[in-house]
Amino acid sequence: MEIHQLRTFVAVAREGSITRASERLYLSQPAVSAHIKAIEETFGITLFERTARGMVLTRDGQRLLAKAEETLGAHHALLSEAARIRGSLTGRLRIGGGSNSNSEPLGRLMTGLSERCPEVEIALKHGSSLDVLNGIRSGDLDVGFYNEPGEPGPDLATLEVARFAIFLAAPAGTVDISQPVDWQALGEMPWIYPTCGPSCCRTAAESLFLRYQFRPKRTIGIDRESVTRTLIAGGVGLGLLHADTAATARENREVDLIYKAHDGVRVLFANLAARESDPLITVAKSILAAT
């Protein structure tokens, strides 16, 4: 069992909800559920009852909660003392969080920085991958997470922290998924994806158009995955969704998944190569590389 899994247990217990715990920890909901499952399997007990009101601690879970909080407190005290011994870093680290990127690495980084560098001020700014890259290159951001379907620019130093697939999704029941994909027929339907600027979903869409020799008659330019999911579920048209979002939408019977449009988009943690030796950036990368 890892310390971050224990932290997730305490967050779910205090929030009473996987959704609220995921927001608090900057983790995806599947990641939070996986942490709880891992702890339950390790201990061989059930920690929560899933009810209409949310996540309710079992009697065993209640007994372990206090010990878990004591353990986390001792862990934090140990890290703080080690930081004081070696000399704490100070300053400000401006982090760009891609609005459509996997949130789990960001959660790990924020938690690790709070433990290892308690005197460092953190400024978090969300935006698209393009916003993050522009911020890093302009000097408005020190580091940031972004989705890279190809290769990063030579001016960047990057660390891969996650990888995901992209799926083409249709409103549930509108496409016969038991039959081979009819790309020309799909071209008659509206397509929802980012139509301006570089993005992983736009790259995936353009690759499909080139590979199967068609273009949709109508496109709707959306650069927020949450909006894309809502529009697909509402029957507006086809769209491209990241793997976690696609799986959740399918489980909720909002969409049918037609085709895997991209198998390996990387989530990169980036900074200017010229700043690779900055102490705060070095610590941030060591946190992400170790988890």
Side-chain angles (χ1 to χ4, degrees):
M1 184 187 66
E2 303 292 338
I3 195 72
H4 62 270
Q5 295 171 339
L6 198 60
R7 190 176 295 108
T8 299
F9 164 53
V10 171
V12 174
R14 292 308 180 197
E15 296 292 339
S17 163
I18 285 180
T19 300
R20 291 195 296 272
S22 69
E23 293 171 351
R24 171 177 164 182
L25 296 170
Y26 297 98
L27 296 175
S28 67
Q29 293 182 38
V32 171
S33 297
H35 288 181
I36 298 301
K37 181 180 180 182
I39 297 176
E40 290 180 331
E41 290 178 347
T42 298
F43 291 152
I45 61 177
T46 300
L47 299 173
F48 294 96
E49 293 180 1
R50 280 74 171 172
T51 72
R53 295 181 291 111
M55 303 289 284
V56 178
L57 282 167
T58 63
R59 181 173 298 179
D60 291 336
Q62 291 173 351
R63 293 176 61 184
L64 286 179
L65 179 60
K67 292 297 184 182
E69 291 179 323
E70 289 178 11
T71 301
L72 290 177
H75 180 254
H76 182 74
L78 174 65
L79 293 174
S80 296
E81 182 62 22
R84 283 191 289 270
I85 291 172
R86 69 174 180 264
S88 296
L89 287 173
T90 59
R92 188 167 186 254
L93 187 66
R94 300 163 299 170
I95 304 172
S99 55
N100 292 329
S101 296
N102 188 325
S103 60
E104 185 173 3
L106 175 59
R108 298 202 311 265
L109 177 60
M110 297 290 283
T111 300
L113 287 172
S114 69
E115 293 175 341
R116 292 176 56 176
C117 309
E119 297 182 19
V120 171
E121 178 187 352
I122 305 298
L124 177 62
K125 183 177 180 180
H126 286 284
S128 67
S129 290
L130 181 59
D131 293 333
V132 171
L133 288 173
N134 288 339
I136 292 172
R137 287 175 168 133
S138 69
D140 292 333
L141 295 173
D142 300 305
V143 294
F145 298 87
Y146 80 100
N147 300 331
E148 177 58 80
E151 294 298 325
D155 59 331
L156 300 175
T158 63
L159 173 69
E160 182 177 328
V161 295
R163 188 175 287 232
F164 62 89
I166 295 175
F167 288 87
L168 177 63
T174 61
V175 175
D176 187 354
I177 59 176
S178 67
Q179 299 297 317
V181 178
D182 184 342
W183 294 104
Q184 299 305 316
L186 294 184
E188 299 294 321
M189 301 175 67
W191 280 59
I192 307 161
Y193 67 98
T195 54
C196 297
S199 76
C200 58
C201 286
R202 182 184 183 190
T203 298
E206 294 295 335
S207 176
L208 290 178
F209 304 153
L210 180 63
R211 187 183 313 155
Y212 295 107
Q213 297 297 299
F214 78 102
R215 292 200 71 86
K217 289 186 175 180
R218 182 186 173 207
T219 60
I220 301 171
I222 300 293
D223 66 354
R224 290 292 183 270
E225 189 185 33
S226 59
V227 178
T228 299
R229 174 181 171 180
T230 299
L231 293 178
I232 299 171
V236 174
L238 308 174
L240 293 154
L241 298 174
H242 298 177
D244 283 350
T245 303
T248 301
R250 180 173 60 181
E251 289 171 6
N252 293 339
R253 299 182 180 179
E254 300 171 6
V255 308
D256 290 326
L257 303 185
I258 301 173
Y259 189 79
K260 183 184 286 187
H262 198 302
D263 195 39
V265 177
R266 294 179 295 163
V267 181
L268 299 183
F269 182 68
N271 56 272
L272 288 177
R275 298 189 57 191
E276 182 70 355
S277 61
D278 283 17
L280 286 179
I281 293 176
T282 300
V283 170
K285 284 195 165 180
S286 70
I287 291 170
L288 290 170
T291 51

